Amino acid sequence: MKPNKNNEIYSDEERKSSPSFQELLSRETIFSDLNALSPHFVPDILPHREEHITTIMKHIAPAIKGMRPNNLFIYGKSGTGKTCSVKKVIRKFNELEKNKSKIEYVNCRAYNSRYRIIQRIVQKTNPEVVRGGFGLTYLYEKLISILNEGENIIIVLDEIDMVKDLDDVLYTLTRLNDETDKGAVSLIGVSNRTDFKKNLEEGSMSSLNETEIVFTPYNAEQIKNILKQRIKLAFAEGVVDESAINLTSAITSSENGDARYALKLLARAGHTAEEKGLKKITDVEVKIARKNVEEEIIKETISTLPDHQQLALYGIARVSIIGSKYRKLGETEGFFFSGEIYEEYVNACNQFGRKPRSGRWHQEYLGDLESLGMITMIYSGKGIRGHTKLIKIGYSPEVVIKVIEKNFKLGLVQDSGDE
Ligand SMILES: Nc1ncnc2c1ncn2[C@@H]1O[C@H](COP(=O)(O)OP(=O)(O)OP(=O)(O)O)[C@@H](O)[C@H]1O
Ligand SMILES: [Mg+2]
């Protein structure tokens, strides 16, 4: 049957078409600026972090006159404002007209090896090196020549614990200062793992000679202030009820004191209210949002992983659901042997059409997952099948399975590219 001009063959229900753009834009919304809730938004003032920002500024201020500041390390759990504080300092530093130093920000989640970090820094200061293919030695010498021209560089290594060959990175970057006559390099390392230095070699530790700043998790009152500032920017007046603010900050402070989580919860509660056609966001919407946010966070974190890391995680989730074949002793509830997890990883590779990699690679993937806080690893004592690693998943295995299956089905997974 051919549809006639008046679409008579469609029922009323079927004829409900999508709205026009004008119609969409004219709809009332409770948001005034959604961008203010985005994870990349850095507000002009960061409540409860201005003192930390001042400390960082004082520390690097001598660089403006061409002196070399000591290395600095910033620690603190996830969502305690490390990245946004550093970004604010960088912004202020770059606003200066007269400045004898440069500051370069490197996110080590994306640039996670000595080669990639050095390449990134050289590229930023020398745009002609944009294309790849240069060897490490060439890039290193390039960096020395940049410094010899009198350039001082402060390198910010955010999420520094994600670097695979951190000892080499620290050694190479600190050694630069012995090889130049004029310019100098100093480092600002940022990490959400307070224990990450444990894995460093003695030599790297002592070459660091750094100052430390710790960012503590926000308490309920602090989260409330952070939220109130964003609410002014992101929502029309009077939209967010006091009960929503109170519940969001109570949940956040009792769980982790993570401002990112609080902002997500609020944004989600806003969308829930809007979907229901409400003019106000109350604690009821926050409760609904809480369930969704957990899942969203898991999804986002997993989806940034390359294929084999996702497959390794899938294997752990599978074992967590099926249960262990072996008997374990004592307090190892929820932990599984790395051997059986490897078997399920191989199954997962076959299921999703990837070639399984060796046990050694698998160990690497487990290390990556552990760094991201997705799994916990412990070593079993002697007696339980010799010395072996025991692994526990940090998220709901059902959600993990759902997310990874979807990622592969939709072809959204990037290649690990290691081998
Ligand atoms: N004091 C603050 N005032 C306003 N917003 C904040 C504050 N602290 C954190 N935020 C917001 O919370 C989110 C998380 O902050 P940020 O990215 O700086 O955390 P982080 O400590 O770097 O966490 P991670 O260790 O996971 O990288 C960002 O959207 C940031 O804008
Ligand atoms: Mg950060």
Side-chain angles (χ1 to χ4, degrees), residues 77-84 105 107 158-159 190 192 260:
K77 293 222 167 99
S78 218
T80 51
K82 301 179 300 296
T83 299
C84 61
Y105 174 89
N107 183 339
D158 197 1
E159 307 203 35
V190 182
N192 58 21
R260 186 182 292 120

Side-chain angles (χ1 to χ4, degrees), residues 37-43 45-49 76-85 158-159 190-192 215 218 226 229-230 258-260 263:
L37 292 173
S38 129
H40 306 291
F41 181 86
V42 181
I45 292 174
L46 295 168
H48 308 291
R49 285 298 176 249
K77 293 222 167 99
S78 218
T80 51
K82 301 179 300 296
T83 299
C84 61
S85 299
D158 197 1
E159 307 203 35
V190 182
S191 172
N192 58 21
F215 282 46
Y218 296 113
I226 293 171
Q229 179 205 44
R230 289 302 172 97
D258 175 344
R260 186 182 292 120
L263 290 166

Side-chain angles (χ1 to χ4, degrees), residues 251 255 261 265 285-294:
I251 293 174
E255 285 204 349
Y261 179 81
L265 207 53
E285 285 71 51
V286 175
K287 278 182 203 149
I288 301 171
R290 185 186 189 175
K291 279 204 207 99
N292 299 331
V293 165
E294 295 294 341

